[in-house]
Amino acid sequence: MRLDVVTIFPDYLRVLDLSLIGKAAGTGLIDLVVHDLRDWTHDRHRTVDDTPLGGGAGMVMRPDVWGEALDTVLDLPADPTAAREAVTARRGTGTRQVLVVPTPAGELFTQRTAEDLAHADQVVFACGRYEGIDARVPEHYRELGVEVRELSIGDYVLNGGEAAALVIIEAVARLRPGVLGNPGSVVEESHSEAGLLEYPVHTRPVAWRGHDLAVTWPGLLSGDHPRIARERREQAIARTVARRPDMVARLEAQRLGAGDRAA
Ligand code: ADE
């Protein structure tokens, strides 16, 4: 899988070198390339932004600079007709390119999104700063037939798309075969198919600072695996009810839907 990040702060992505993802990049499992957006500017000041048309606070990132950068990274000609043909031809060969634009105004990034992106051949991240990227940029690539996802990692505002790109890259890359040491870790964790939060986990010592698992959770030490699985599920449900009523509502809606189909 090829990952490209276009940013005015290439150093921001350096932390990836320290992680499992950096190791995967070293082994060829993931090919990660970080690009400096300013490489596509043509003026002495390497300008990437301008004031918002219509007024308002802050600065907006220029579409012409982004267009040249993304054409290069997506390997598309600048001429829209030729670009559309290239995109169609690539799709025909089954090659999947996705342009991800992190933005607080995007659709919510979830584990489902991560699973979907993990199937792509190339994911290009366009990291905006300031008030964001001129809206014609995602619109243009969508018109060319490129799969464009404007994604928010949560209902809060960051200073730019870089931290969001890091989050998305980590969530996606760990789903690729060979990136994680133990593929089982991907299956059981929170937000996987069951739609419940993960149950609480424990290790030795059994008794610690007055918290004795032999007292509070004897099933765990029983060696009775069906019982352990049952109790873990109960804990997962209790946690989900207490912490994530929105997930419970979703599960209930799904169950009602399944009931309707069965009827
Ligand atoms: N850029 C700024 N805030 C963001 C958010 N919450 N998600 C994705 N990109 C962002």
Side-chain angles (χ1 to χ4, degrees):
M1 162 179 250
R2 160 105 184 195
L3 299 175
D4 291 272
V5 182
V6 186
T7 167
I8 56 166
F9 294 120
D11 286 345
Y12 203 112
L13 283 298
R14 289 266 194 99
V15 287
L16 284 173
D17 297 341
L18 305 172
S19 65
L20 269 176
I21 314 313
K23 294 199 184 95
T27 61
L29 286 172
I30 289 174
D31 192 6
L32 172 72
V33 185
V34 180
H35 311 265
D36 186 343
L37 177 69
R38 294 193 200 274
D39 290 348
W40 284 279
T41 56
H42 301 287
D43 63 316
R44 207 156 51 85
H45 301 290
R46 309 183 84 200
T47 311
V48 293
D49 59 344
D50 204 339
T51 54
L53 290 175
M59 298 293 271
V60 177
M61 296 188 102
R62 292 170 56 133
D64 50 347
V65 180
W66 271 108
E68 284 191 38
L70 293 175
D71 287 348
T72 308
V73 175
L74 289 163
D75 192 24
L76 293 174
D79 172 63
T81 309
R84 212 169 281 125
E85 281 168 14
V87 171
T88 309
R90 221 165 272 166
R91 284 208 157 164
T93 65
T95 303
R96 184 165 168 220
Q97 281 180 310
V98 185
L99 172 60
V100 169
V101 185
T103 162
E107 54 168 317
L108 194 62
F109 174 74
T110 68
Q111 189 63 24
R112 298 292 88 76
T113 329
E115 285 159 6
D116 178 51
L117 291 178
H119 290 109
D121 297 288
Q122 184 189 19
V123 183
V124 176
F125 294 87
C127 298
R129 281 264 148 181
Y130 318 116
E131 295 304 309
I133 302 173
D134 187 302
R136 289 169 291 179
V137 174
E139 206 176 287
H140 170 71
Y141 288 96
R142 215 170 260 134
E143 278 166 12
L144 295 182
V146 174
E147 192 181 332
V148 180
R149 306 285 298 265
E150 292 178 83
L151 297 176
S152 166
I153 61 162
D155 290 339
Y156 39 79
V157 180
L158 305 166
N159 281 334
E162 288 78 6
L166 284 175
V167 166
I168 297 170
I169 288 170
E170 182 152 329
V172 170
R174 62 192 294 286
L175 298 176
R176 296 284 298 185
V179 172
L180 277 198
N182 174 9
S185 345
V186 171
V187 180
E188 260 194 42
E189 62 206 2
S190 296
H191 303 295
S192 59
E193 299 93 308
L196 295 174
L197 296 180
E198 199 173 10
Y199 52 80
V201 295
H202 306 91
T203 186
R204 278 167 291 279
V206 169
W208 174 74
R209 297 192 179 179
H211 301 257
D212 189 349
L213 297 173
V215 176
T216 55
W217 208 357
L220 203 58
L221 307 166
S222 67
D224 177 349
H225 291 287
R227 176 179 175 191
I228 294 171
R230 202 168 52 243
E231 291 185 3
R232 280 180 167 166
R233 189 173 152 72
E234 284 164 13
Q235 294 280 333
I237 292 170
R239 232 185 198 189
T240 311
V241 167
R243 298 178 180 182
R244 293 294 302 273
D246 58 313
M247 287 172 72
V248 176
R250 210 171 309 139
L251 281 170
E252 278 169 356
Q254 270 169 20
R255 212 188 40 199
L256 286 175
D260 287 347
R261 282 192 294 279

